[in-house]
């Protein structure tokens, strides 16, 4: 059996030397390797601020919980790798049973292939001739490499075919027809348009019609009855399209499913013929904000033990108290996410949750956070709950992993490398 990722390439990351290139690394660790930290963990308080950490126990729990849930549901999972862009975490997801990895653009695909990921889905259209030539060469060079791209227009199909012909690619590229909807994101707006795209794929000798799908998260952003109904209506349209396409493969894919409505995807698309593939990605990190409230597991899908845990925390130091009710933290937009809600003060290191009970972060600048109504003094370190992993990890190229973020004195037991 061929490995789903090059384990040797991932293992080699343990040799990464720590120094000034990584803003998370303290000067005291310069010259050490990631493997050295694994062998002799470092107290978290030896690291400076601002800082983003991952929690080892939460990562283990989330990966196992989603793997078990999808297995029990009888569907496959190709987690969206853009959330972490961390091959070490992709390996753990694949080892837990993931069918493949989903990515969003050409640079991300190149990272995945550098680490030997064997099955990739591009949840986007690839119309770049140079990128298509590269994909064609990857397919021709590696018979075990499987790749599925998306298309939502006849013009996209024409460009793909032209570029692959020019590159003299010999293996056809599998294509998934993307269905969208009014006011959505990408995707053919009607079933008729989607079927025209499918017909164009079937006519192109360099392509093979292999699936249908889209993204339900473009049509809702909360867990209200109205939003869930909109998601169901969209998914039924995807199901109708899938039933009516004449595929060129024996096991076509039907795919949808971010991290907010994957339970509905399973209900609507799970019974269809072929292979139902979820693309949920944020679950591996989860959060203390948007996904905490909207995750299907938080809404009752699965047993209570399935409930996900936030694996990420920010750590920021109070550097100024210019007003009685205002403290300035040394973490801002360059360090923590803010697009799906402000960071949430959770505790002061060494003092517990009491100093930040009722406190809130009201704004962030490039390098500062505005913490109000906290009993925190200059020099205190505040742990922050964060919302939206997709805009958290991209700010850090090397992320410390702690043994337990709730411990009185957490230890850094690993470091995760990202490529954004």
């Amino acid at each position: 059996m061929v490995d789903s990722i090059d384990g040797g390439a991932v293992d080699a990351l343990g040799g990464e030397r720590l120094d000034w290139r990584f803003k998370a690394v303290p000067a005291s660790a310069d010259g050490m390797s990631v493997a050295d930290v694994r062998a002799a963990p470092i107290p978290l308080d030896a690291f400076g601020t601002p800082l983003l950490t991952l929690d080892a126990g939460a990562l283990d729990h989330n990966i196992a919980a989603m793997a078990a849930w999808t297995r029990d549901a009888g569907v496959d999972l190709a987690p969206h790798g853009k959330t972490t862009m961390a091959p070490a975490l992709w390996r753990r997801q694949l080892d837990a049973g993931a069918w493949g990895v989903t990515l969003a653009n050409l640079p991300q695909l190149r990272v995945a292939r550098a680490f030997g990921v064997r099955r990739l889905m591009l949840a986007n259209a690839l119309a770049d001739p140079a990128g298509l030539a590269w994909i064609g060469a990857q397919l021709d060079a590696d018979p075990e490499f499987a790749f599925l791209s998306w298309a939502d227009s006849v013009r996209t199909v024409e460009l793909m075919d032209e570029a692959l012909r020019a590159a003299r690619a010999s293996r056809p590229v599998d294509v998934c027809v993307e269905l969208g909807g009014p006011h959505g994101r990408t995707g053919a707006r009607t079933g008729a348009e989607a079927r025209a795209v499918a017909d164009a794929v079937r006519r192109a000798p360099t392509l093979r019609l292999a699936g249908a799908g889209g993204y339900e998260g473009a049509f809702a952003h909360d867990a209200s009855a109205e939003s869930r109904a909109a998601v169901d209506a969209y998914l039924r349209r995807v199901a109708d399209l899938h039933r009516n396409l004449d595929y060129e493969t024996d096991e076509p894919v039907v795919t949808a499913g971010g991290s907010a409505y994957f339970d509905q995807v399973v209900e609507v698309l799970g019974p269809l013929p072929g292979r139902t593939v979820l693309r949920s990605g944020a679950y591996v990190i989860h959060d203390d904000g948007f996904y905490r409230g909207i995750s299907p597991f938080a809404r009752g899908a699965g047993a209570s033990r399935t409930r996900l845990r936030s694996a990420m925390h920010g750590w920021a130091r109070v550097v100024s108290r210019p007003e009685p009710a205002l403290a300035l933290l040394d973490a801002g937009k360059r360090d923590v996410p803010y697009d799906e809600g402000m960071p949430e003060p959770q505790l002061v290191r060494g003092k517990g949750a009491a100093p930040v009970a009722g406190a809130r972060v009201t704004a962030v600048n490039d390098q500062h956070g505005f913490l109000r109504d906290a009993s925190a003094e200059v020099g205190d370190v505040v742990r922050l709950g964060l919302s939206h992993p997709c805009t958290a990890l991209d700010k850090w190229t090397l992320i410390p992993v702690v043994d337990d973020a709730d411990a009185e004195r957490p230890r850094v037991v690993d470091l995760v490398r990202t490529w954004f």
Side-chain angles (χ1 to χ4, degrees), residues 357-390:
R360 66 201 189 283
V361 174
T362 57
V364 286
N365 298 146
D366 282 356
Q367 311 288 179
H368 292 96
F370 289 71
L371 176 65
R372 296 191 178 274
D373 302 324
S375 299
E377 303 302 324
V378 171
D380 283 344
V381 174
V382 179
R383 191 184 83 185
L384 301 169
L386 305 175
S387 179
H388 200 196
C390 295

Side-chain angles (χ1 to χ4, degrees), residues 157-305:
V157 173
E158 292 171 346
L159 290 171
M160 293 179 74
D161 184 47
E162 291 170 8
L164 291 166
R165 284 173 184 261
R168 300 185 183 277
S170 60
R171 283 182 64 191
V173 170
D174 285 347
V175 174
C176 176
V177 177
E178 181 189 3
L179 181 67
H183 314 297
R185 199 170 63 183
T186 53
R189 286 330 198 215
T190 68
E193 291 173 355
R195 289 189 292 274
V197 175
D199 290 342
V201 172
R202 288 179 58 83
R203 291 193 299 270
T206 61
L207 306 176
R208 186 172 70 156
L209 183 62
Y215 176 53
E216 75 286 350
F219 303 97
H221 203 66
D222 57 43
S224 66
E226 181 180 27
S227 291
R228 288 171 59 80
V231 168
D232 274 344
Y234 167 72
L235 292 171
R236 287 194 293 270
R237 293 179 58 229
V238 173
D240 287 342
L241 175 64
H242 179 65
R243 292 189 192 97
N244 287 288
L245 293 185
D246 187 10
Y247 292 110
E248 298 176 278
T249 177
D250 293 335
E251 193 174 45
V253 165
V254 59
T255 178
S259 292
Y261 307 103
F262 54 77
D263 55 335
Q264 293 176 251
V265 173
V266 168
E267 290 173 5
V268 178
L269 303 186
L272 297 175
R275 185 181 294 273
T276 301
V277 179
L278 300 181
R279 304 189 312 277
S280 313
Y283 79 90
V284 65
I285 304 297
H286 199 49
D287 70 8
D288 281 312
F290 176 70
Y291 286 110
R292 176 178 61 189
I294 202 171
S295 167
F297 295 155
R299 294 187 275 105
S304 58
R305 65 180 181 277

